[in-house]
Short mmCIF file of all heavy atoms in Angstrom, two decimals:
data_model
loop_
_atom_site.label_atom_id
_atom_site.label_comp_id
_atom_site.label_asym_id
_atom_site.label_seq_id
_atom_site.Cartn_x
_atom_site.Cartn_y
_atom_site.Cartn_z
N ALA A 248 -51.26 -100.49 19.79
CA ALA A 248 -50.46 -100.49 18.56
C ALA A 248 -48.97 -100.62 18.86
O ALA A 248 -48.24 -101.29 18.15
CB ALA A 248 -50.74 -99.21 17.79
N ASN A 249 -48.52 -99.99 19.94
CA ASN A 249 -47.10 -100.03 20.27
C ASN A 249 -46.72 -101.19 21.16
O ASN A 249 -45.62 -101.72 21.06
CB ASN A 249 -46.69 -98.74 20.99
CG ASN A 249 -46.69 -97.55 20.05
OD1 ASN A 249 -46.29 -97.66 18.91
ND2 ASN A 249 -47.19 -96.43 20.54
N PHE A 250 -47.62 -101.57 22.07
CA PHE A 250 -47.28 -102.61 23.04
C PHE A 250 -47.28 -103.99 22.38
O PHE A 250 -46.46 -104.84 22.69
CB PHE A 250 -48.25 -102.58 24.22
CG PHE A 250 -47.81 -103.44 25.37
CD1 PHE A 250 -46.76 -103.04 26.17
CD2 PHE A 250 -48.43 -104.63 25.63
CE1 PHE A 250 -46.32 -103.82 27.22
CE2 PHE A 250 -48.00 -105.43 26.68
CZ PHE A 250 -46.96 -105.02 27.46
N LEU A 251 -48.23 -104.19 21.50
CA LEU A 251 -48.34 -105.45 20.77
C LEU A 251 -47.58 -105.29 19.47
O LEU A 251 -48.09 -104.75 18.50
CB LEU A 251 -49.82 -105.72 20.50
CG LEU A 251 -50.37 -107.10 20.76
CD1 LEU A 251 -50.15 -107.50 22.19
CD2 LEU A 251 -51.83 -107.16 20.41
N GLY A 252 -46.36 -105.73 19.42
CA GLY A 252 -45.55 -105.53 18.22
C GLY A 252 -45.13 -104.08 18.09
O GLY A 252 -45.12 -103.35 19.06
N GLN A 253 -44.81 -103.69 16.87
CA GLN A 253 -44.39 -102.30 16.64
C GLN A 253 -45.36 -101.67 15.66
O GLN A 253 -45.98 -102.36 14.88
CB GLN A 253 -43.01 -102.27 16.01
CG GLN A 253 -41.87 -102.61 16.92
CD GLN A 253 -40.55 -102.45 16.16
OE1 GLN A 253 -40.33 -101.47 15.49
NE2 GLN A 253 -39.69 -103.43 16.29
N SER A 254 -45.43 -100.35 15.71
CA SER A 254 -46.27 -99.62 14.74
C SER A 254 -45.58 -98.35 14.33
O SER A 254 -44.90 -97.72 15.12
CB SER A 254 -47.62 -99.27 15.35
OG SER A 254 -48.38 -100.42 15.59
N ASN A 255 -45.78 -97.96 13.06
CA ASN A 255 -45.42 -96.63 12.63
C ASN A 255 -46.68 -95.78 12.81
O ASN A 255 -47.74 -96.13 12.28
CB ASN A 255 -45.02 -96.63 11.15
CG ASN A 255 -43.74 -97.39 10.94
OD1 ASN A 255 -42.71 -97.03 11.51
ND2 ASN A 255 -43.79 -98.44 10.14
N LEU A 256 -46.58 -94.71 13.57
CA LEU A 256 -47.75 -93.83 13.75
C LEU A 256 -47.40 -92.48 13.15
O LEU A 256 -46.46 -91.82 13.59
CB LEU A 256 -48.10 -93.70 15.24
CG LEU A 256 -48.54 -94.99 15.94
CD1 LEU A 256 -48.76 -94.74 17.43
CD2 LEU A 256 -49.79 -95.56 15.30
N ILE A 257 -48.18 -92.12 12.12
CA ILE A 257 -47.86 -90.91 11.37
C ILE A 257 -49.03 -89.94 11.51
O ILE A 257 -50.20 -90.32 11.37
CB ILE A 257 -47.67 -91.26 9.86
CG1 ILE A 257 -46.62 -92.37 9.74
CG2 ILE A 257 -47.28 -90.04 9.08
CD1 ILE A 257 -46.75 -93.20 8.49
N GLU A 258 -48.68 -88.69 11.79
CA GLU A 258 -49.74 -87.69 11.98
C GLU A 258 -50.43 -87.39 10.66
O GLU A 258 -49.78 -87.24 9.62
CB GLU A 258 -49.12 -86.42 12.56
CG GLU A 258 -50.14 -85.49 13.14
CD GLU A 258 -49.47 -84.29 13.83
OE1 GLU A 258 -48.68 -83.61 13.17
OE2 GLU A 258 -49.71 -84.11 15.02
N GLY A 259 -51.75 -87.28 10.71
CA GLY A 259 -52.49 -86.93 9.49
C GLY A 259 -53.74 -86.14 9.83
O GLY A 259 -54.15 -86.04 11.00
#
Side-chain angles (χ1 to χ4, degrees):
Chain A
N249 290 320
F250 191 73
L251 225 59
Q253 287 184 46
S254 292
N255 293 301
L256 296 176
I257 306 155
E258 196 174 56

